[in-house]
Amino acid sequence: MRKPEKQKLHEHLEFLYGESQASEITERILSLLDRHREASDKIKFMEKENKFSEKDIILITYGDIIKEPSQPALKSLKEFLDKTLSEQINTVHILPFFPYSSDDGFSVIDYQKVDPKLGSWEDVRKLAESKKLMFDAVVNHISRESRWFKGFLQGDPKYKDYFIQPGHDWDLSNVVRPRTSPLLTEVVTKTGPKKVWTTFSADQIDLNYANPEVLLEILDVLLFYIRQGATIIRLDAMAYLWKESGTTCIHLPKTHRVIKLLRLVMEEADPEIVLITETNVPHLENISYFGEFDPETGRTDEAHMVYQFPLAPLVLHTLISGSAKHLADWADGLESKGVFFNFIASHDGIGVLPAKGILSEDELQKLIDQVHRHGGLLSHRSNPDGSETVYELNTSLYDALNDPESPDPPVDIERFLASQVILISLAGVPGIYYHSLFGSRNALANVQKTGRARSINREKFLWYELQEVLENPENIHAQIFNKFRHLLSVRIDQPAFNPKGMQKVRRLDDRVFALERNAPDNSSAILTLVNISSDSVDLTIDSEQTCLEGAREVVDLISSECYHINNHKLILQLKPYQYLWLKSG
């Protein structure tokens, strides 16, 4: 490590642990890096280039989304991707694939093992030969079934301070809660009952980063992930990492400092590594995890990429209300220090809180009401006054948008795909949840089986059954998949969709979301038009006021249809939920 980086590392550690410990911990981290370099595999993973480009599209999936009785699930996943999405998807976020005890993987028993039901590290590395991979670092907490916590219960001195045991003098009155479960859980140890901090559930025990040994353990884990082929490391639930008496225990300065340290060490191990923080909070709090921006280098010092949490509820509101005004206002005001990870569906449902302050309480309630009316479920969080608030809509995106009791497939499919066109048109890297590939429906049988609301959107497939569905052109899911795959094929060949390229909102009609995208070098430009309403919309566009300036003809990249421009006027009629990517011919 060069002297300036070593000095920064020391400064971070001094801020976290004090001057007396900083030098020793610095040397131990440098030793970890040396051991990492010595242990690095020579396996050639997918080549990394310039961190992000228009070709970066991330599929969010469980490792066992595709099941076959004859082989490991990760091998089946690779076969599915190779057969159906070899060109369209270049990056895969495999949701936690480690042994776990609850929460569909987010209560990790062992960070450095692959769940044997999914496969092995060899299967992971095979995937990394053709796809860039995002690994989950679920390091705010660990399973109560883990070796670390069992050691704590048994009185092993090594693990004595690995977990948080607030004393009687701790003031917990201001702690921000993301769940309704108890903040503290009583456990029986060898020396008697103790209460440990459990932000998310009694099975997920928060780690104590005030103990530098915990930080060193986690650094070792993250370096191990790099050696196994990780290109992107997703830092789960990072907002709650550091706890201090009398504070909210969210977004604390020491939490931000830990992320700065992680970035410094990870980039020393692999300059092309990408860190992404998962912080499901209002927008300004969320983007604080980019850290400090250096205008000379154009770099931030925390996350390279952050989740764009307001996007999902905003897109849902846009298509429910038939007005793109809030979405346009929000997108027009975005300023990015780093790269946004855009998503509108995930394994966790649709968060409500990130849209507060953007949508009114009445508008948020309309989202909640429609999801509930369409058969979705609601998850709540506890407030300091003892009341509860809906924080998440548990639903498939297709059923959130379309009424299962009144299906109209031709319209429903286009309404759903309009939401995806908005997603993949915005500046940033798009993340596509695997159920969005097919327009999956609410899996209520899953909820009955697990008793968990989030299971509504976590259905798995048998490979032969999925193949039958996708090979049937009359099947709604096959139609969505084929149209979506076409959209992705078009997108990855357009430099205007580079995540670092400019975007500009155009105000044409509140029923149309209009967005210009430009390549970073201004070599290419696209005007996206999405009719987000059930109306036919007539548009007259002054081409001289858009990126189509000077063009006499434009082509819709999606349909290959050409449109003529006369006297600088482009006249269009958009059918309900129609979407266009217009480029100068």
Side-chain angles (χ1 to χ4, degrees):
M1 182 176 281
R2 294 181 304 168
K3 189 174 180 180
E5 283 74 18
K6 184 176 179 180
Q7 181 59 36
K8 281 184 187 176
L9 177 60
H10 189 278
E11 289 171 4
H12 294 329
L13 291 167
E14 190 172 342
F15 183 85
L16 293 169
Y17 304 113
E19 186 178 356
S20 61
Q21 296 189 78
S23 295
E24 179 196 348
I25 304 169
T26 298
E27 294 306 317
R28 291 178 66 184
I29 290 174
L30 295 178
S31 295
L32 272 178
L33 283 165
D34 288 341
R35 290 199 297 274
H36 163 75
R37 294 186 187 100
E38 292 171 5
S40 291
D41 293 330
K42 302 303 179 184
I43 298 173
K44 182 175 176 58
F45 298 125
M46 183 175 181
E47 186 177 348
K48 305 169 188 177
E49 46 186 42
N50 300 324
K51 281 198 169 72
F52 304 110
S53 79
E54 62 277 5
K55 299 187 182 302
D56 286 306
I57 298 174
I58 300 176
L59 180 67
I60 307 166
T61 180
Y62 285 98
D64 58 350
I65 164 67
I66 307 290
K67 293 186 174 183
E68 284 185 281
S70 59
Q71 65 182 9
L74 287 169
K75 188 173 182 181
S76 298
L77 174 61
K78 183 177 181 349
E79 289 180 0
F80 165 71
L81 294 170
D82 289 347
K83 182 173 182 179
T84 65
L85 294 163
S86 60
E87 299 299 324
Q88 295 84 0
I89 297 290
N90 77 334
T91 307
V92 182
H93 171 201
I94 312 175
L95 290 156
F97 50 82
F98 318 106
Y100 68 96
S101 53
S102 65
D103 199 18
D104 285 344
F106 284 90
S107 185
V108 179
I109 293 174
D110 191 323
Y111 292 125
Q112 298 195 19
K113 288 184 179 178
V114 175
D115 186 340
K117 295 190 294 293
L118 302 184
S120 65
W121 281 115
E122 182 181 357
D123 295 313
V124 174
R125 291 192 294 266
K126 280 286 184 185
L127 266 170
E129 291 175 6
S130 58
K131 303 291 181 188
K132 295 192 283 190
L133 298 184
M134 183 193 295
F135 284 19
D136 276 288
V138 190
V139 296
N140 174 75
H141 49 264
I142 195 169
S143 167
R144 69 187 301 154
E145 299 299 319
S146 65
R147 175 172 51 87
W148 295 3
F149 192 65
K150 286 180 177 179
F152 168 79
L153 295 178
Q154 293 161 6
D156 186 333
K158 177 177 179 179
Y159 301 107
K160 175 178 176 291
D161 294 319
Y162 268 47
F163 306 97
I164 302 164
Q165 307 165 66
H168 295 297
D169 58 338
W170 269 57
D171 175 6
L172 304 179
S173 60
N174 296 315
V175 174
V176 170
R177 297 305 322 284
R179 296 290 186 272
T180 56
S181 56
L183 176 64
L184 304 180
T185 297
E186 187 171 288
V187 296
V188 179
T189 74
K190 189 175 181 180
T191 57
K194 294 181 180 178
K195 288 187 175 181
V196 293
W197 198 294
T198 51
T199 296
F200 293 96
S201 80
D203 186 51
Q204 295 165 299
I205 319 297
D206 286 49
L207 292 166
N208 179 22
Y209 283 85
N211 176 6
E213 297 300 326
V214 170
L215 177 67
L216 289 162
E217 288 266 27
I218 295 305
L219 284 171
D220 191 41
V221 168
L222 300 186
L223 292 170
F224 175 78
Y225 290 168
I226 291 175
R227 295 199 297 276
Q228 302 307 315
T231 297
I232 305 173
I233 294 176
R234 175 185 183 270
L235 300 171
D236 178 69
M238 289 302 280
Y240 304 95
L241 194 75
W242 201 281
K243 285 83 173 176
E244 292 178 359
S245 174
T247 72
T248 59
C249 296
I250 185 172
H251 313 313
L252 296 188
K254 287 189 176 180
T255 292
H256 284 281
R257 191 60 72 105
V258 169
I259 299 171
K260 293 177 192 286
L261 184 148
L262 294 181
R263 172 156 173 178
L264 184 65
V265 175
M266 293 303 104
E267 285 191 335
E268 180 68 21
D270 179 353
E272 292 302 315
I273 200 70
V274 171
L275 292 184
I276 176 171
T277 48
E278 186 268 339
T279 52
N280 191 355
V281 294
H283 182 66
L284 291 178
E285 296 170 32
N286 184 41
I287 63 174
S288 71
Y289 286 88
F290 280 132
E292 297 174 27
F293 180 73
D294 184 342
E296 291 187 10
T297 63
R299 289 165 53 87
T300 62
D301 64 351
E302 289 188 43
H304 301 92
M305 188 158 57
V306 301
Y307 275 72
Q308 189 58 288
F309 279 103
L311 183 59
L314 277 173
V315 169
L316 186 58
H317 161 78
T318 298
L319 287 156
I320 287 175
S321 68
S323 170
K325 185 178 185 309
H326 283 313
L327 177 64
D329 289 346
W330 172 80
D332 207 18
L334 285 177
E335 293 183 8
S336 176
K337 299 176 182 177
V339 174
F340 288 121
F341 181 53
N342 296 322
F343 75 107
I344 55 175
S346 78
H347 60 292
D348 281 346
I350 297 172
V352 173
L353 297 180
K356 282 188 175 291
I358 304 173
L359 301 180
S360 69
E361 290 300 319
D362 182 59
E363 288 164 333
L364 288 171
Q365 189 60 48
K366 286 179 179 177
L367 300 189
I368 293 168
D369 291 344
Q370 172 149 320
V371 165
H372 190 258
R373 193 167 58 247
H374 288 190
L377 303 172
L378 309 174
S379 293
H380 297 78
R381 61 179 282 181
S382 295
N383 299 317
D385 63 2
S387 62
E388 293 186 358
T389 301
V390 174
Y391 78 90
E392 186 177 85
L393 310 176
N394 301 114
T395 177
S396 76
L397 183 59
Y398 188 90
D399 275 354
L401 291 169
N402 302 310
D403 188 353
E405 298 299 318
S406 303
D408 185 358
V411 174
D412 293 349
I413 289 172
E414 292 309 302
R415 183 187 291 116
F416 175 76
L417 288 172
S419 73
Q420 305 304 314
V421 171
I422 293 171
L423 165 67
I424 62 179
S425 297
L426 286 161
V429 176
I432 299 167
Y433 188 45
Y434 69 96
H435 277 303
S436 292
L437 291 172
F438 318 110
S440 295
R441 313 297 298 277
N442 286 335
L444 293 171
N446 263 17
V447 177
Q448 293 173 352
K449 188 184 302 181
T450 67
R452 296 191 300 272
R454 285 179 168 178
S455 298
I456 199 170
N457 199 26
R458 297 181 178 183
E459 187 178 5
K460 312 293 173 66
F461 303 112
L462 292 173
W463 184 211
Y464 78 91
E465 291 180 347
L466 182 60
Q467 284 180 304
E468 288 178 3
V469 167
L470 297 182
E471 289 168 2
N472 178 5
E474 301 301 314
N475 189 286
I476 289 175
H477 304 302
Q479 292 175 37
I480 290 172
F481 181 73
N482 290 326
K483 288 185 175 185
F484 203 166
R485 186 166 56 173
H486 171 65
L487 289 168
L488 297 178
S489 295
V490 173
R491 184 194 189 279
I492 61 176
D493 285 335
Q494 299 301 320
F497 288 124
N498 187 292
K500 288 288 191 179
M502 187 205 78
Q503 74 176 19
K504 184 174 180 61
V505 173
R506 291 294 180 185
R507 313 295 178 128
L508 305 176
D509 186 300
D510 280 350
R511 296 167 295 176
V512 176
F513 181 64
L515 184 76
E516 289 182 11
R517 293 297 313 280
N518 284 75
D521 61 0
N522 292 316
S523 62
S524 174
I526 291 173
L527 175 63
T528 296
L529 300 176
V530 184
N531 181 356
I532 49 78
S533 76
S534 57
D535 302 330
S536 291
V537 179
D538 293 317
L539 291 177
T540 299
I541 302 172
D542 183 347
S543 63
E544 298 301 288
Q545 300 300 312
T546 72
C547 61
L548 306 178
E549 181 181 2
R552 295 183 177 180
E553 185 178 80
V554 294
V555 61
D556 170 30
L557 298 173
I558 298 169
S559 66
S560 299
E561 186 172 349
C562 291
Y563 299 89
H564 295 285
I565 297 176
N566 296 311
N567 296 321
H568 311 306
K569 295 292 187 287
L570 174 63
I571 299 174
L572 299 168
Q573 183 180 67
L574 297 182
K575 293 178 289 188
Y577 305 109
Q578 186 177 359
Y579 37 83
L580 307 174
W581 279 335
L582 297 178
K583 187 176 182 180
S584 299

